[in-house]
């Protein structure tokens, strides 16, 4: 794999493990999958054979973003005004939308994954976790295998959350029968995927997370067996928590969701939850022993009631990452946009909080080092020699950035980036540059995805 020399970068966000800082007018040298050096005049030293030089004048170079919660398959239900969540509770909305999900085919799952990953990459995301819990019987069991296929096509570093639902509607869930699995089916396929794909090595491009969809839609033994498998295979655990289901859990089990998960052992440094907007400060304190939070700001707009208390989470020392969430509750797959949304939401609620809004630069941290921590990765999320060559670059010599260039650390949260990156690199490979996916025909990918979508009746 060739190395790259990004020459004369206007700013590089570096982090040697003690927090991010800005270095001005420096070069970045990559060697294979890793960053070799960041400094001045690197072109005057010895370069790896085959190094490709790139003029980076005017570029701000950032660590690649890490997406910690998504549902790629939902890309096929975007821009549907008829699925209006704003007048429904989460549970009512799930009742309405799950029957639509149950109609998707294997080809839909594959092309939806290509669609989501392509948009993520265009906007600086280099590692993506997807929570794929939708397994219609007619679509078969190889849906996550197809996701790994899509990730390889685009060059995405991919963590697959093997989700599933086991509780039937007759016992209080929101899941159509066509999407149900047994606990044994679910656990067996998690084990199969771990054996087939999980690479825990440095710079691994494929990992598997045991991720039952949510306690409200699963039997207790599904979560008990998930904990046993994940701890036996040393992989992460993930589920939905604190998004409107706690009253149902209280009525059904006598416990709100955080306590329910804690009782089972689905918590701790190897577990992270999505959403958590309805959690009390006492519940957050219980999670501060290590359980992480994937904050998805875009769905919060739709809920319209509670804004996730990120200042309290920060004050308590919780690990926080950012996620796009699925397109049914966020009609794009743009994690860069989520950094700006997350910051602005906290500003909106600032006068009601006990703790101040974290600095704008912290929101970039949630999307980089925070996300890496949730996924258990020490090799991604920051730019320093020896770290993965996962990065993106923005050419700031545009009117969009007049008056902003003095503070690259705050730019993404305060101002927001409205356009695709000028370059995205993953594992030392340029996967997006000059408005194209090198070696791929975007028009052809688009046509294939649209054709797959056309086979589904909504």
């Amino acid at each position: 794999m060739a190395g790259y020399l990004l020459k004369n970068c206007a700013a590089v966000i570096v982090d040697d493990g003690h927090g991010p800082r800005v270095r001005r007018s420096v070069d970045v040298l990559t060697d294979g999958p890793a960053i070799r050096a960041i400094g001045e005049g690197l072109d005057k030293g010895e370069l790896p054979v085959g190094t490709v030089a790139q003029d980076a004048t005017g570029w701000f170079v950032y660590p690649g973003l890490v997406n910690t919660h998504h549902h790629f398959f939902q890309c096929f239900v975007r821009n549907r005004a008829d699925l209006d969540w704003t007048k429904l509770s989460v549970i009512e909305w799930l009742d309405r939308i799950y029957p639509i999900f149950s109609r998707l085919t294997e080809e839909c799952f594959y092309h939806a994954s290509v669609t989501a990953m392509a948009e993520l990459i265009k906007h600086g995301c280099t590692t993506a976790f997807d929570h794929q819990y939708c397994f219609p019987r007619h679509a078969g069991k190889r849906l996550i295998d197809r996701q790994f296929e899509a990730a390889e096509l685009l060059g995405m570093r991919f963590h697959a959350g093997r989700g599933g639902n086991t509780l039937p509607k007759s016992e209080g869930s929101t899941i159509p029968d066509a999407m149900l699995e047994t606990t044994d089916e679910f656990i067996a396929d998690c084990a199969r995927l771990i054996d087939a794909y999980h690479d825990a090595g440095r710079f691994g491009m494929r990992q598997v997370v045991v991720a039952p969809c949510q306690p409200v839609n699963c039997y207790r033994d599904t979560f008990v067996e998930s904990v046993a498998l994940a701890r036996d295979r040393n992989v992460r655990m993930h589920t939905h928590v604190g998004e409107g289901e706690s009253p149902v859990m209280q009525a059904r089990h006598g416990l709100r969701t955080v306590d329910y998960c804690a009782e089972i052992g689905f918590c701790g440094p190897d577990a992270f939850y999505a959403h958590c907007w309805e959690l009390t400060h006492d519940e957050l304190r219980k999670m501060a022993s290590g359980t992480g939070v994937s904050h998805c700001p875009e769905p919060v707009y739709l809920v319209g009631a509670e804004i996730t208390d990120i200042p309290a989470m920060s004050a308590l020392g919780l690990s926080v990452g950012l996620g796009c969430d699925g397109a049914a509750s966020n009609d794009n797959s743009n994690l860069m946009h989520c950094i700006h949304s997350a910051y602005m939401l906290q500003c909106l609620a600032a006068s009601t909080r006990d703790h101040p809004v974290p600095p704008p630069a912290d929101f970039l941290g949630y999307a980089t080092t925070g996300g890496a921590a949730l996924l258990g990765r020490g090799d991604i999320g920051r730019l320093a020699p020896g770290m993965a060559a996962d990065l993106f670059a923005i050419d700031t010599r545009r009117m969009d950035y007049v008056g902003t260039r003095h503070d690259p650390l705050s730019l993404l949260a305060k101002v927001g980036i409205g356009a695709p990156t000028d370059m995205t690199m993953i594992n030392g490979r340029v996967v997006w540059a000059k408005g194209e996916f090198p070696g791929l025909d975007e028009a052809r990918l688009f046509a294939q995805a649209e054709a797959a979508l056309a086979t589904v009746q909504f």
Side-chain angles (χ1 to χ4, degrees):
M1 184 187 300
Y4 289 87
L5 177 65
L6 308 184
K7 298 173 58 178
N8 193 35
C9 304
V12 179
I13 308 303
V14 300
D15 186 344
D16 58 6
H18 301 288
R21 59 192 175 94
V22 179
R23 293 195 64 184
R24 302 273 187 175
S25 302
V26 294
D27 305 334
V28 177
L29 177 63
T30 71
D31 186 4
I35 294 171
R36 179 164 172 170
I38 301 172
E40 298 177 3
L42 296 183
D43 58 338
K44 296 179 176 62
E46 183 177 349
L47 302 178
V49 175
T51 297
V52 176
Q54 167 69 56
D55 179 14
T57 302
W59 285 16
F60 284 7
V61 179
Y62 291 89
L65 306 181
V66 181
N67 184 23
T68 57
H69 187 72
H70 209 136
H71 307 297
F72 291 168
F73 72 88
Q74 293 180 7
C75 282
F76 281 1
V77 291
R78 290 197 282 184
N79 195 27
R80 299 194 65 88
D82 53 311
L83 297 174
D84 181 2
W85 189 359
T86 62
K87 299 181 180 66
L88 303 172
S89 71
V90 173
I91 302 300
E92 290 169 334
W93 175 77
L94 291 175
D95 273 330
R96 185 170 180 179
I97 204 165
Y98 270 131
I100 296 173
F101 298 158
S102 70
R103 301 170 198 163
L104 298 177
T105 66
E106 180 183 312
E107 286 303 300
C108 287
F109 286 96
Y110 170 76
H111 289 289
S113 296
V114 173
T115 300
M117 290 184 199
E119 187 174 0
L120 286 165
I121 287 170
K122 284 185 180 186
H123 297 281
C125 181
T126 55
T127 299
F129 166 82
D130 185 61
H131 193 187
Q132 166 35 20
Y133 59 78
C134 182
F135 284 84
R137 291 195 190 104
H138 65 265
K141 295 293 190 194
R142 299 194 63 80
L143 304 184
I144 286 180
D145 303 73
R146 300 300 306 277
Q147 290 191 296
F148 279 118
E149 182 184 333
E152 185 171 2
L153 174 74
L154 291 164
M156 173 65 83
R157 196 183 302 278
F158 181 51
H159 286 232
R162 204 311 186 173
N165 295 286
T166 58
L167 188 73
K169 285 181 75 72
S170 61
E171 296 184 40
S173 85
T174 59
I175 307 302
D177 288 347
M179 283 173 55
L180 281 178
E181 298 180 287
T182 66
T183 294
D184 287 346
E185 278 182 286
F186 167 67
I187 294 297
D189 202 49
C190 287
R192 177 186 71 82
L193 290 165
I194 294 167
D195 290 342
Y197 297 105
H198 190 75
D199 179 4
R202 193 162 182 81
F203 306 141
M205 295 292 286
R206 295 173 165 181
Q207 291 201 10
V208 176
V209 176
V210 179
C213 184
Q214 53 197 148
V216 76
N217 283 330
C218 286
Y219 285 116
R220 179 185 174 91
D221 74 311
T222 306
F223 274 75
V224 170
E225 293 300 321
S226 293
V227 173
L229 176 65
R231 299 253 159 88
D232 178 65
R233 300 298 183 89
N234 195 28
V235 300
R236 308 302 262 200
M237 299 180 288
H238 180 70
T239 192
H240 295 93
V241 168
E243 57 168 345
E245 84 295 331
S246 285
V248 177
M249 294 295 292
Q250 179 79 47
R252 188 182 295 170
H253 300 288
L255 295 169
R256 283 168 58 90
T257 315
V258 169
D259 288 335
Y260 177 85
C261 287
E263 184 178 84
I264 291 170
F266 200 101
C267 60
D270 56 354
F272 63 107
Y273 302 155
H275 302 306
C276 299
W277 61 56
E278 69 172 7
L279 300 188
T280 67
H281 285 195
D282 283 342
E283 289 170 329
L284 294 178
R285 288 188 190 94
K286 292 173 183 177
M287 291 170 56
S289 60
T291 308
V293 174
S294 175
H295 170 46
C296 302
E298 304 289 313
V300 175
Y301 292 106
L302 296 176
V303 174
E306 297 147 305
I307 296 176
T308 316
D309 199 342
I310 298 300
M313 293 179 184
S314 177
L316 289 166
L318 269 71
S319 293
V320 177
L322 288 187
C324 287
D325 202 20
S329 55
N330 174 13
D331 289 63
N332 64 63
S333 296
N334 184 341
L335 192 63
M336 187 99 70
H337 186 261
C338 290
I339 297 173
H340 182 57
S341 290
Y343 174 71
M344 296 303 288
L345 273 171
Q346 297 308 314
C347 292
L348 176 65
S351 64
T352 69
R353 302 300 199 203
D354 295 331
H355 303 283
V357 176
D362 285 10
F363 289 80
L364 172 62
Y366 300 148
T368 52
T369 52
L374 294 194
L375 298 180
R377 301 290 299 245
D379 53 352
I380 64 172
R382 55 189 178 91
L383 299 182
M387 297 295 289
D390 289 8
L391 56 86
F392 68 90
I394 302 292
D395 188 341
T396 58
R397 297 173 296 178
R398 298 185 174 106
M399 297 302 291
D400 312 47
Y401 305 107
V402 172
T404 72
R405 300 173 78 246
H406 61 95
D407 187 1
L409 278 170
S410 299
L411 178 64
L412 276 63
K414 284 280 287 180
V415 180
I417 304 296
T421 69
D422 288 275
M423 185 185 77
T424 302
M425 177 185 290
I426 302 176
N427 212 43
R429 173 188 166 197
V430 174
V431 296
W432 169 258
K434 300 177 182 177
E436 296 181 341
F437 296 101
L440 296 174
D441 182 346
E442 185 173 358
R444 183 167 178 265
L445 296 178
F446 162 81
Q448 291 171 335
E450 286 278 295
L453 171 60
T455 65
V456 181
Q457 297 296 317
F458 292 104

